[in-house]
Amino acid sequence: MLLEHRTIDLLGKKVFEKAVVTPPFKNPNPLPNEACFLYVLEGENNSYSEEELLVIEQHEGVLMKCGNYMYDGIADTTSGQFGMVAIHFHPDILKQLYEKEIPIFMKNREVQAYSVNMTKVEADVTIQNYMKSLLFYFENPGLVTQELLTLKLKEIILLLLNTKDAPIIMEIMNNLFSPKSFSLKEVVEAHILSPLSIGELAQLSNRSLASFNREFRKVYNDSPANYIKNRRLEKASELLLASNETISAIAYDCNFNDMAHFSSSFKAKFNLTPSEYRLSKKR
């Protein structure tokens, strides 16, 4: 449930955003023509890109370049809420802001290589204080001016580039608006054990559900549900032999939340229950 949602525009576009929700709250977050810095005020956030999953805790952030994302807000144990601030970077706005002096990350983005689409930012005291000042303006919108917002946008960029995560942040900044394309297979293999539905995998791969299902069958000669279930069972069979975790913990790690379903599916595939499989193989 959405409890609070506030935005502040700059040059006609949403740049600063605050949201407070009551989880569960999983939401697609496509960024086809912009980048974003998302900061967690309370609770936690599971951030998914086409190939990555990052767990962002309270007072941490995630910098996402142009691409396709999904986030899953996790409630704070005390308040029962998830709160975040998002700062949106639009290429046309940044060009206007840096019209007289183009920063390095905008000059060199065409020639810089990049390996990731997003990175966690462990916010230091400067970023935490920055967020406190931003919250003040959400509460007092009458004090906001275009000149002030321009300074606040430039300020967060400078702060990000001066954290201990600066090298990877610079790598992302260099390619802030250069989207990287991913094949369906890359998305699927990256999230075999992620708690994402088939529809959410389709969204991350930037396809409709029908298109995703058609292409999936061409690539794997199987249905998405059956293929993913079998891969998870195979992973569970490996963990049963390689670790001393309980069977229920292994089932949970492999994204089976129903033990009865896990046990029946495992026996159907391996002709043994999970406990029988572990004992027989170890003997």
Side-chain angles (χ1 to χ4, degrees):
M1 178 187 296
L2 185 62
L3 301 177
E4 179 185 349
H5 185 232
R6 304 185 187 207
T7 61
I8 301 175
D9 291 359
L10 174 62
L11 300 175
K13 290 187 176 178
K14 177 178 68 179
V15 172
F16 301 98
E17 180 179 18
K18 178 191 176 187
V20 179
V21 302
T22 302
F25 193 83
K26 189 180 288 184
N27 199 42
N29 187 29
L31 300 172
N33 302 304
E34 63 179 86
C36 179
F37 176 61
L38 189 152
Y39 179 86
V40 176
L41 297 171
E42 57 179 331
E44 292 183 4
N45 175 50
N46 292 333
S47 287
Y48 301 88
S49 73
E50 293 95 335
E51 283 192 315
E52 301 153 276
L53 164 61
L54 295 178
V55 179
I56 313 301
E57 298 180 356
Q58 187 176 19
H59 303 312
E60 292 181 340
V62 55
L63 178 64
M64 299 170 282
K65 64 183 289 295
C66 181
N68 214 19
Y69 303 90
M70 181 169 295
Y71 69 86
D72 185 8
I74 311 298
D76 178 80
T77 54
T78 302
S79 69
Q81 298 176 355
F82 167 71
M84 69 169 194
V85 167
I87 302 173
H88 302 269
F89 302 106
H90 302 276
D92 52 339
I93 290 180
L94 291 186
K95 285 179 181 177
Q96 290 188 57
L97 262 57
Y98 294 102
E99 186 176 8
K100 295 181 180 179
E101 185 178 355
I102 300 176
I104 294 174
F105 72 86
M106 291 184 72
K107 286 180 181 176
N108 297 343
R109 66 179 184 272
E110 296 89 354
V111 297
Q112 296 291 319
Y114 59 94
S115 57
V116 296
N117 270 5
M118 64 178 180
T119 186
K120 179 189 287 193
V121 179
E122 295 182 11
D124 56 21
V125 67
T126 60
I127 292 182
Q128 291 184 36
N129 286 332
Y130 171 90
M131 288 298 166
K132 290 178 183 177
S133 70
L134 206 57
L135 292 175
F136 173 81
Y137 292 115
F138 280 115
E139 297 296 330
N140 299 276
L143 300 178
V144 173
T145 65
Q146 181 169 310
E147 292 77 12
L148 178 62
L149 295 179
T150 297
L151 290 174
K152 296 305 289 183
L153 189 55
K154 285 185 175 181
E155 183 183 356
I156 188 60
I157 292 172
L158 286 173
L159 291 177
L160 288 172
L161 291 173
N162 282 280
T163 65
K164 70 181 186 64
D165 306 294
I168 190 66
I169 288 172
M170 178 60 82
E171 179 184 314
I172 289 180
M173 285 287 193
N174 283 332
N175 298 277
L176 208 55
F177 306 113
S178 302
K180 182 180 178 182
S181 60
F182 294 86
S183 69
L184 178 143
K185 189 170 185 178
E186 287 175 319
V187 174
V188 170
E189 296 302 323
H191 292 293
I192 284 293
L193 298 182
S194 296
L196 296 172
S197 67
I198 305 302
E200 289 163 347
L201 286 174
Q203 289 175 336
L204 271 184
S205 68
N206 201 29
R207 292 166 175 82
S208 68
L209 181 57
S211 174
F212 179 86
N213 285 331
R214 282 196 303 271
E215 188 173 341
F216 193 101
R217 283 193 173 276
K218 290 179 182 178
V219 173
Y220 291 103
N221 195 31
D222 200 353
S223 70
N226 194 58
Y227 176 82
I228 291 171
K229 182 179 77 170
N230 278 317
R231 284 291 304 277
R232 289 173 176 174
L233 288 170
E234 289 164 6
K235 182 64 177 179
S237 71
E238 294 172 10
L239 292 175
L240 284 168
L241 303 183
S243 80
N244 292 319
E245 277 193 290
T246 64
I247 292 174
S248 60
I250 289 173
Y252 182 79
D253 289 343
C254 295
N255 208 37
F256 289 95
N257 297 321
D258 184 326
M259 273 302 297
H261 173 62
F262 170 68
S263 296
S264 61
S265 298
F266 193 95
K267 187 169 185 179
K269 182 173 178 63
F270 295 102
N271 295 318
L272 294 169
T273 66
S275 56
E276 290 170 343
Y277 183 89
R278 172 177 264 176
L279 288 171
S280 65
K281 296 294 182 180
K282 285 190 174 182
R283 282 201 297 266

